[in-house]
Structures are given as C-alpha cells and as structure tokens.
Amino acid sequence: NKDGVFRLHIEHDIIKGVSPKMLDWWFRNIKGTMTYHGKLYPRYLVWHPIDHIHWELKKVGADGKVGVGSQFRIVEALNSNINYLIDTVDTVSKLDQSGIVLTLTVFGVEMFNLTHDFHPTPEGTKYVSNMTVGSNHMLGRFLLNGLFTKHIFTEEMGRAWLRHNIEEVGNFEFFLPDLYLSETTNP
C-alpha cells in the first residue's frame, strides 16, 4: 500500500456443480425472489443471508438488458458489522461466461475495481477475485486515495471483505444449480 492503493486477491476453492454459464446467468438475474427451503426470499439475501441488505438495478445496459453498462446498487454490512457498511452504485464493465467486472469512477478516475474471473473445471468453476481500491492516477495519488482508504473503504473493511467474499462465493453451490435449473428449463 505504498502508493495509497490496496489490492486484494482470492483464489476460491472450486465451486462444485456451478458452471461459468450459471454464474453469468446469476449476475444477470440477481433481481427478484426465489424459493429456498420452502420459503420465498430475495435472491440477493439467499446469496449471503447475514451480510447482504439490498441489491437494486439502477440502470440497464445500452441494449436494455443487465450487462455491460448496467449499474448495480449494492448495500451490505461486511461481517455483519454496521461499521463496515457499503452502499455503492457500481458499473458493470464486463459480464460474460469468463467473469464480471464492477467499477466505480470518481471525477473521471477509476477508484474501485472488482474483478471476478470464472474458469471452467470438470467439477465446476474456479473463481478468482481481485479488488483494487485507489488509483495510480495523479488525482488518485494526491487527493482521492487518502479520502477513499480512510473514510469510504478502509483496509479493515478490505480484510472484512475477504471473509465476506469467501462466504458468498462458497454459498453458490448450495442454491445456484437448483435455481438455474428451475429458471432456465422449460416445463
């Protein structure tokens, strides 16, 4: 963190029974509800029932669908700690079967980048997450990085996010295969 930028990296265990195609579908279809253990829940809350608070599609992509150019409003309390509350609107810079990228730009400078790469395996998907908070841009180095990492997304929040992300990605195999099958199979 010498340059005022911090980077987080996770190579998750294989998500068994979950394909990259399912993950691409998930990020396009987070909105709405699903039946889980006989009860109806918001899909976003099933993904991480402790930390997730709210998900909202703020803007669709240029093609009128969820995808590149869409904006997601994400509200969550990392590790169920209100001091680690995130309420952000991120832009989808990439979404396909190879992964998703969410970014946040401030005064024309990308200050946040979250990349999830999906790699197919015989058992499911190898999911690799990389988060960058801050920028090497001059405006980032001299003004925005300090504000961001001290007041908006601190290093402590970054450590809490590591645990949060491991939990939510690990949760996919418990609900996504059934949801995907029920939503994409014609009766």
Side-chain angles (χ1 to χ4, degrees):
N1 188 356
K2 295 182 285 189
D3 55 2
V5 176
F6 64 87
R7 296 165 186 85
L8 304 166
H9 174 80
I10 305 171
E11 290 192 27
H12 296 276
D13 289 339
I14 304 270
I15 310 171
K16 294 182 175 75
V18 174
S19 69
K21 184 176 182 178
M22 291 178 191
L23 292 165
D24 178 31
W25 177 88
W26 166 254
F27 285 105
R28 295 174 191 278
N29 294 278
I30 296 174
K31 183 178 180 177
T33 59
M34 64 180 281
T35 301
Y36 188 70
H37 293 290
K39 293 186 179 178
L40 195 62
Y41 297 98
R43 291 178 182 182
Y44 190 65
L45 297 186
V46 171
W47 188 20
H48 198 302
I50 297 170
D51 293 0
H52 286 179
I53 298 168
H54 178 73
W55 181 94
E56 175 183 351
L57 180 62
K58 292 295 284 185
K59 178 183 166 192
V60 294
D63 62 359
K65 299 178 183 176
V66 176
V68 173
S70 295
Q71 291 185 328
F72 295 173
R73 178 172 178 224
I74 298 167
V75 183
E76 49 195 34
L78 302 174
N79 297 178
S80 194
N81 184 338
I82 199 68
N83 294 316
Y84 299 153
L85 182 68
I86 294 169
D87 187 345
T88 184
V89 176
D90 298 325
T91 300
V92 178
S93 300
K94 172 188 170 185
L95 178 55
D96 59 29
Q97 290 184 35
S98 68
I100 182 170
V101 177
L102 298 173
T103 59
L104 176 65
T105 302
V106 177
F107 301 125
V109 177
E110 185 177 290
M111 291 300 299
F112 171 84
N113 179 296
L114 177 58
T115 300
H116 298 296
D117 294 315
F118 315 147
H119 306 281
T121 71
E123 302 86 22
T125 300
K126 179 74 174 174
Y127 194 109
V128 179
S129 300
N130 288 289
M131 178 190 286
T132 303
V133 179
S135 172
N136 285 319
H137 183 278
M138 188 169 56
L139 188 58
R141 285 195 321 264
F142 293 110
L143 176 66
L144 298 174
N145 289 354
L147 292 171
F148 240 70
T149 58
K150 285 185 177 74
H151 303 289
I152 297 172
F153 195 89
T154 65
E155 287 192 52
E156 292 80 17
M157 290 174 77
R159 284 191 284 279
W161 174 83
L162 289 168
R163 176 179 159 190
H164 166 85
N165 190 245
I166 289 167
E167 291 170 349
E168 72 182 357
V169 170
N171 201 24
F172 275 131
E173 61 189 54
F174 298 109
F175 75 89
L176 187 53
D178 289 340
L179 177 64
Y180 178 80
L181 186 63
S182 72
E183 294 283 320
T184 61
T185 304
N186 292 327

